Amino acid sequence: MWPKKVKEDALVSCRRKCCVCHMFCGRNIELHHIVMESKGGESTFDNCIPLCFNCHAEAGHYNNDHPKGTKYSSAELRRHRDNWYRTVQQLDLADHKWEANENKQPKEVYEDQVVTLKGFVWREAFPGPPNYDSFDTDRIETYWMLILPEPICLFANSFETEETIKIENIKKLQLCVDPEFYSSSKEIIRTDVELTGKLFMSITGHHHGDANFDIRGQHA
Ligand SMILES: [Zn+2]
């Protein structure tokens, strides 16, 4: 019998996936003694390898008197186990890093501060010249917008008085990009991306987002 702690540690280390074939097993996972108990193998974490039913049968049943196929050696099983535990550990680390980055989005941004923001790139059409008024009479202009998952607020200075203005509830940023960016970065449309740049205020009637996000010079 495996001690409770050994069992738990092994099952967590492999994420209940077989150490040889990497299949997710759920309840159908078994703990195998790498060195068999009959040969003095102990019920320790080091001597334990979680396996699916198939791999367990394969690893356990080999008839030396009637050799067929290729035997699983203890050293090999141990390496499979160590490789798989290491992979799971790396996956866990990557998950945590992703979660940490998720919450990294700044909530308050100052004009001209270089910030990195995550969002969804949305291409939006507006009436353009000559009257910027109607899709029927004007040419269509399209802009790329960055839709933020959570609203942010921007601190900017008033053009006239230098007074600090707080613009709240900013969700949609109009991207200011180099002309080449439209053709070189088409693949980011309708995807989640992370862009670096500087925010500046929208001028009503001129800009289409809650604020502008100037990413010129920040992206190759
Ligand atoms: Zn397996």
Side-chain angles (χ1 to χ4, degrees), residues 189-204:
I189 292 176
R190 294 186 179 223
T191 64
D192 286 310
V193 293
E194 198 170 74
L195 296 171
T196 302
K198 295 172 178 180
L199 288 184
F200 65 97
M201 274 197 290
S202 266
I203 301 167
T204 320

Side-chain angles (χ1 to χ4, degrees), residues 18-23 51-52 54-55:
C18 173
C19 289
V20 170
C21 72
H22 304 167
M23 182 180 84
L51 296 172
C52 72
N54 281 341
C55 292

Side-chain angles (χ1 to χ4, degrees), residues 15 91-105 118 194:
R15 280 190 176 179
L91 288 172
D92 283 344
L93 275 177
D95 280 357
H96 287 143
K97 228 170 141 184
W98 197 81
E99 279 165 23
N101 280 333
E102 266 297 272
N103 302 320
K104 213 181 61 186
Q105 189 102 300
K118 278 185 179 177
E194 198 170 74

Side-chain angles (χ1 to χ4, degrees), residues 1 3 6 28 62 75 93 104 133 161 189 196 212:
M1 279 291 281
V6 169
N28 296 333
Y62 183 86
L93 275 177
K104 213 181 61 186
D133 180 44
T161 63
I189 292 176
T196 302
N212 300 289

Side-chain angles (χ1 to χ4, degrees), residues 175-214:
L175 294 178
C176 309
V177 303
D178 295 313
E180 317 80 87
F181 189 84
Y182 289 116
S183 48
S184 66
S185 307
K186 275 203 184 86
E187 72 283 354
I188 70 167
I189 292 176
R190 294 186 179 223
T191 64
D192 286 310
V193 293
E194 198 170 74
L195 296 171
T196 302
K198 295 172 178 180
L199 288 184
F200 65 97
M201 274 197 290
S202 266
I203 301 167
T204 320
H206 189 69
H207 299 125
H208 301 283
D210 302 323
N212 300 289
F213 194 30
D214 187 349

